[in-house]
Amino acid sequence: MPQLPATPYPAEVRARLDADAKEVLARYPGSRSALLPLLHLVQSEEGYVSRTGMAFCAETLDLTTAEVTAVATFYSMYRRRPSGDYQVGVCTNTLCAVMGGDAIFDTLKEHLGVGNNETTEDGKVTLEHIECNAACDFAPVVMVNWEFFDNQTPESATRLVDDLIAGRTVEPTRGAPLCSYKETARILAGFPDERPGAVEATGGAGPASLIGLKLAKGEALPKARVVSPRAGQPREAQPHDPSPSEHLSSHDAPQQTSASDPEHPAGPAAEEGE
């Protein structure tokens, strides 16, 4: 059956959202560009992007609800059903997975009695597996409302969610102090985090992640050690200044192909039928 029109916000909520939306719109020369922060804004009101929230965004930006829905359903950061106060995301991408992320996710599912993208009965915790957190130096990583909890184990992650449910103070490994999911959504909408010390409490990347930045800045790196896959002993790489034709990464270096190396033309390894 067709759905009835979305229920409008109460008058006082609508007035507050209208004022906030006006502030958001003032940042953009084209109103359509404000859709993403407006979706965060309505998510900060209800904890997810409801049909009422999408109708508000459509009316505010002079879009159709279909256009708003297409965006809200494309990005995983927008919840489509009520969520918990704490969004607990376990990285299950390659490095975190092999370092224990899969085990952490399985343990939390059993401990909380929920599946992926499901919320505990008390409405405290929503559990999900997420893709790379860009924190591979500290794998396996768990995020709570997008704040980092590094070097986790099944045991430490279990204690973490138990503390969240019990209302005990939980401190992220890096970054700002933890706040609720609705408060996080309002910050993502572009409104300032007014908690004392929250903005100053930043968290830096690990040393391995910073090597690429050092190369880009032309900073000197420690002498490299090159290990041959066939020789058992590492040898010292000879330092040199790269020529303009050289690449700093072997991934970008030109490869020998049939076009660049006539002595090794491309073709089948054997004649047909052999």
Side-chain angles (χ1 to χ4, degrees), residues 72-142:
T73 57
F74 180 82
Y75 294 105
S76 60
M77 59 190 175
Y78 300 119
R79 310 298 299 175
R80 293 303 313 283
R81 54 186 177 183
S83 295
D85 296 331
Y86 300 101
Q87 191 82 20
V88 177
V90 182
C91 181
T92 55
N93 213 325
T94 306
L95 184 57
C96 278
V98 300
M99 295 291 288
D102 285 339
I104 291 172
F105 187 58
D106 290 340
T107 298
L108 291 184
K109 284 193 295 184
E110 181 177 356
H111 182 70
L112 296 172
V114 298
N116 185 43
N117 284 326
E118 293 182 355
T119 303
T120 55
E121 292 184 359
D122 58 10
K124 291 288 187 179
V125 171
T126 297
L127 178 67
E128 68 172 343
H129 77 83
I130 52 181
E131 293 302 322
C132 184
N133 286 320
C136 301
D137 296 31
F138 308 104
V141 175
V142 173

Side-chain angles (χ1 to χ4, degrees), residues 121-178:
E121 292 184 359
D122 58 10
K124 291 288 187 179
V125 171
T126 297
L127 178 67
E128 68 172 343
H129 77 83
I130 52 181
E131 293 302 322
C132 184
N133 286 320
C136 301
D137 296 31
F138 308 104
V141 175
V142 173
M143 297 194 84
V144 180
N145 295 347
W146 311 120
E147 299 296 346
F148 287 104
F149 290 81
D150 301 326
N151 301 311
Q152 292 294 295
T153 65
E155 294 74 24
S156 66
T158 300
R159 290 194 299 271
L160 170 62
V161 296
D162 284 346
D163 287 342
L164 294 173
I165 292 172
R168 291 188 282 268
T169 300
V170 173
E171 296 291 340
T173 310
R174 295 172 289 139
L178 205 59

